[in-house]
Each structure stands twice: as C-alpha cells, then as structure tokens.
Amino acid sequence: MPGKFSKARFACAALGICAALGLAGCVATAPPAPAQKAEIPTFPPPPERARFVWERTIHSSADVVVDDRNASLRRMVTGEVRTGEGLAKPYGVAARGGRVYVGDTVARHIVVYDLNARTHSRIGQDDPGALRMPFGMDIDAQGNLYVVDGTLKRVHVYDAAGKFLRALGQDLKWSRPSGIGVDSARKRVYVVDAGGVGSDDHKIRALDLDSGKFLFEFGKRGEGPGELNLPRDLVVGTDGLLYVVDSGNFRVQVFEGDGRFVKTFGAIGRQSGQFSRPKEVAADREGNIYVADSAFGNFQIFNREGQLLLDVGSRAPQDAPAKFMLPAGIAVDNDGRVYMVDQFFRKVEVFRPAGLPATHAYGTPPSAPAATAQRPAANVAPR
C-alpha cells in the first residue's frame, strides 16, 4: 500500500539517522504537512505596483550564519530549535557592501552581519575602543565605521575589519551626543548633540574627519527656521546637504555643509508625510531621504524636495514581517536595500527594491537604477 510504504521508508530513514548520530530513544514520526506559504508584504500593497518588498528578518546570528549539517540533522530528528546569538537592545544601524552593523546598547558592542559571507562578528568589546553606549553610526568612503558613544561622549572609529583606529571629540563638552553623519567629500564628521529638556545644547558639531579637530557648530534650541529641539540624527545627502531629524519639532531640517539653513519639511500629525516620533534618517543613491518614526512603526521616504514618496511598515503589538513596535535605526546600502532596527522586537528588517532581483548580491550597486520610490504619493489618507 503506497501510503504505508512511504511512512515506513521515512521511519527507517529516521532511525538510520538516529543510529548514525548515536541518539537513544528516538521515535520516528511522519513529516509534518507543509505550512501554507504566507503572503510577502509589498509596499505599496496590491493592486498598486510594488516599489519595496519585505525580504527577511534578522533576529540573531542563526538567521545569517551557515548552518552546520550535522547539527541540522540532529535537530530534524530531536525536534530541537536552532539558536543563535540574539540582540539585547539594538539601536543604530549602518550598512555597506552587504555588511550590516547593528549597535547593541545593552550588550555594549556592535554586531556585524556579513550577509554575503554569511558570518557574524562583533566590534568594540575590548579596549582600546571598548564601547559603553553605541548610538548613531555611519561609514566613510574607505569603509571605516564611526560610532557615537552616548556614555563616553565621543566618537569611536574602526576600520572595516573592526580594528579600533582613534577617538574623536573626547575633548569637547557634550550633553547627549546621539547621531552622526560622515561627509567624506568635505572630510568632516557631523555629530548631533540632542541636548535635553534642561539644556540649551541642541546643536550640530562639525569635526575634522581625520584629526577630530573641532571646526564649527550650528543650531540652538528653539522652533524657528534653523533652530533645533531634541535633534536625533542626520545624514549627508548625495546633494551634499545635511538632513537633520529635528525630533522635538517633528520635522526634518535641511542645511548647507557650513550650517546655513536651507529649508524644512514635515510637521506633527497623523497623516502620511507627517511625524509623531521621528528617530533616525538615511539616504539612498538617488538622493531620497528615509525617516524612521517610532510612534508610527514605519519609515517614510521623501524626495529631495520633501515630497512623500512612500511609507513602509506599520505598528503592531506582535512581531511579524514589516511590523514594528519601537523602530530606531535605519540605513540604506548601495544596492537600495533598506535595513531598519526595532528595539522592542529586537530585530533588523530588510526591505528590497522591487526591481532588484532577490538573487542580487547584498550591497552591490545594480547595473541600472532599481525600481525604488520615484514619485510623490497620491491620495494620501489619514492613518
């Protein structure tokens, strides 16, 4: 009888594996029925043409590192669940060439996932260069990693291999350094000082990229053009302008490289294109700006003029693909893939431009522009 014969063959095969692995008391069972394939989230959702696709979620090293064949066979028989090194409280993220750097503020180090090599490592565990509270991160043209330490109140610089190179800004007086943007063209590092409720130090400081020498600062506490209230992060766009998350004023402010005010976009509200709790910011190769919002549980994409192109993700009480409770850091790699950290669910979500093949190597620029968000959103509805 075909059905019984199939089950018997499976039982024999499973018992053979048990014997090979030296396991006692092994009971062979029929393979479980295949689970129904869940629908992959796309943005915008159908029937509109997708511009971004949810690709994967990283909760731990087990989601990246190549599985051991013997261990995989053992789990198949015993029912064990594969485990890996998870994230305690992730915050900032940076990405370059398929290497994803995630700052863990509880574990006090940077976790490195190489998605092409499928490896996992750490940066900033030991002196010199040990971290205490890694916040914002960015990468220069040579691949060096710059990390703001909120406790040590300075910037740590590491090479691509994770070797500590130097510290910047340790001689300056900081209130609450949080975000950072590297300008390789101008040889500058811009560091955001978020200040605090009882402080007037809500500003941006520019340091020399190599020596760390203080160059100038701009911004003061307020709500007028060019004034800041609890700024959190900044990014240097492809146009050379600085895009600053002015969190307490619920907007993004744009400045020239010398600190001169240019314009602002966004406002407090519940509609798409507005902000509730903006956290970090990133930019892609086409000059679009990505802003993570912790209250909305998403990131919004704007063009250089501040027009909304798309919002991705939503707030939810339970973990699921493209669902967030407390998103924080955001980064865009050279291939257009977007990485966003969620502190509450302790994960990194990866989103791929819809025009980029799933088989495309991580971090490799596409030969032609990917099908990212390129036009203002129409018929924006309230959340």
Side-chain angles (χ1 to χ4, degrees):
M1 299 172 62
K4 292 183 178 180
F5 178 72
S6 176
K7 291 181 180 178
R9 288 183 60 187
F10 174 79
C12 292
L15 290 171
I17 294 173
C18 291
L21 296 177
L23 299 176
C26 176
V27 178
T29 59
Q36 186 174 0
K37 188 175 181 180
E39 185 176 344
I40 297 176
T42 61
F43 303 89
E48 292 192 59
R49 178 177 63 88
R51 286 178 271 173
F52 272 95
V53 178
W54 173 86
E55 184 170 71
R56 65 190 293 183
T57 299
I58 302 172
H59 284 104
S60 75
S61 58
D63 297 314
V64 175
V65 178
V66 177
D67 196 8
D68 178 81
R69 184 172 180 272
N70 290 333
S72 178
L73 289 172
R74 180 182 295 273
R75 287 194 305 276
M76 183 180 71
V77 173
T78 64
E80 296 175 13
V81 177
R82 187 184 181 201
T83 60
E85 182 178 313
L87 298 163
K89 191 174 183 181
Y91 183 87
V93 62
R96 178 70 58 82
R99 288 173 62 86
V100 183
Y101 303 84
V102 183
D104 195 318
T105 57
V106 170
R108 299 183 177 184
H109 59 234
I110 306 297
V111 178
V112 186
Y113 302 114
D114 191 320
L115 300 185
N116 291 317
R118 299 185 67 180
T119 60
H120 162 264
S121 58
R122 304 174 203 88
I123 291 175
Q125 286 185 297
D126 305 310
D127 281 320
L131 293 161
R132 296 294 179 270
M133 187 68 69
F135 280 151
M137 295 185 287
D138 203 358
I139 304 170
D140 68 15
Q142 283 69 49
N144 298 317
L145 178 70
Y146 295 70
V147 183
V148 175
D149 193 303
T151 297
L152 298 177
K153 297 187 177 182
R154 63 193 186 200
V155 176
H156 283 199
V157 187
Y158 307 86
D159 66 13
K163 178 184 177 181
F164 177 71
L165 299 178
R166 59 189 178 276
L168 310 176
Q170 63 269 38
D171 298 327
L172 299 175
K173 182 181 178 181
W174 301 93
S175 289
R176 292 175 58 197
S178 58
I180 189 169
V182 175
D183 188 338
S184 295
R186 296 188 182 99
K187 295 286 185 180
R188 293 174 185 169
V189 177
Y190 297 93
V191 183
V192 177
D193 196 333
V197 176
S199 170
D200 289 327
D201 292 331
H202 300 232
K203 57 191 176 184
I204 313 296
R205 280 177 165 156
L207 312 178
D208 182 82
L209 188 69
D210 298 318
S211 68
K213 178 183 176 182
F214 171 73
L215 300 176
F216 60 89
E217 63 184 38
F218 61 93
K220 64 177 182 178
R221 191 171 191 184
E223 56 185 25
E227 296 177 339
L228 303 167
N229 184 21
L230 299 174
R232 297 301 297 263
D233 192 29
L234 71 79
V235 68
V236 181
T238 55
D239 52 9
L241 296 177
L242 312 181
Y243 295 81
V244 180
V245 175
D246 188 7
S247 183
N249 287 322
F250 308 97
R251 63 189 180 185
V252 172
Q253 294 211 66
V254 186
F255 299 86
E256 296 279 1
D258 59 6
R260 287 180 293 173
F261 172 76
V262 177
K263 60 185 177 183
T264 183
F265 62 86
I268 187 171
R270 295 181 56 82
Q271 290 190 329
S272 296
Q274 297 177 326
F275 300 116
S276 180
R277 196 179 174 191
K279 270 280 185 71
E280 287 209 344
V281 61
D284 65 20
R285 289 162 56 88
E286 284 75 43
N288 299 318
I289 305 301
Y290 298 64
V291 183
D293 196 301
S294 289
F296 290 157
N298 71 1
F299 64 86
Q300 299 184 85
I301 310 174
F302 301 85
N303 63 17
R304 299 178 189 180
E305 286 69 46
Q307 296 173 301
L308 178 68
L309 303 176
L310 183 68
D311 57 69
V312 175
S314 60
R315 189 175 177 87
Q318 294 186 348
D319 190 7
K323 300 297 183 182
F324 302 93
M325 176 60 76
L326 195 60
I330 188 167
V332 183
D333 206 342
N334 290 333
D335 59 356
R337 284 182 169 99
V338 181
Y339 301 84
M340 190 159 79
V341 167
D342 189 282
Q343 292 182 287
F344 188 83
F345 293 136
R346 297 184 292 178
K347 66 178 180 178
V348 182
E349 293 269 66
V350 186
F351 298 88
R352 186 182 73 252
L356 190 73
T359 55
H360 191 89
Y362 286 94
T364 303
S367 56
T372 56
Q374 294 294 329
R375 57 181 175 83
N379 301 321
V380 175
R383 296 179 186 278

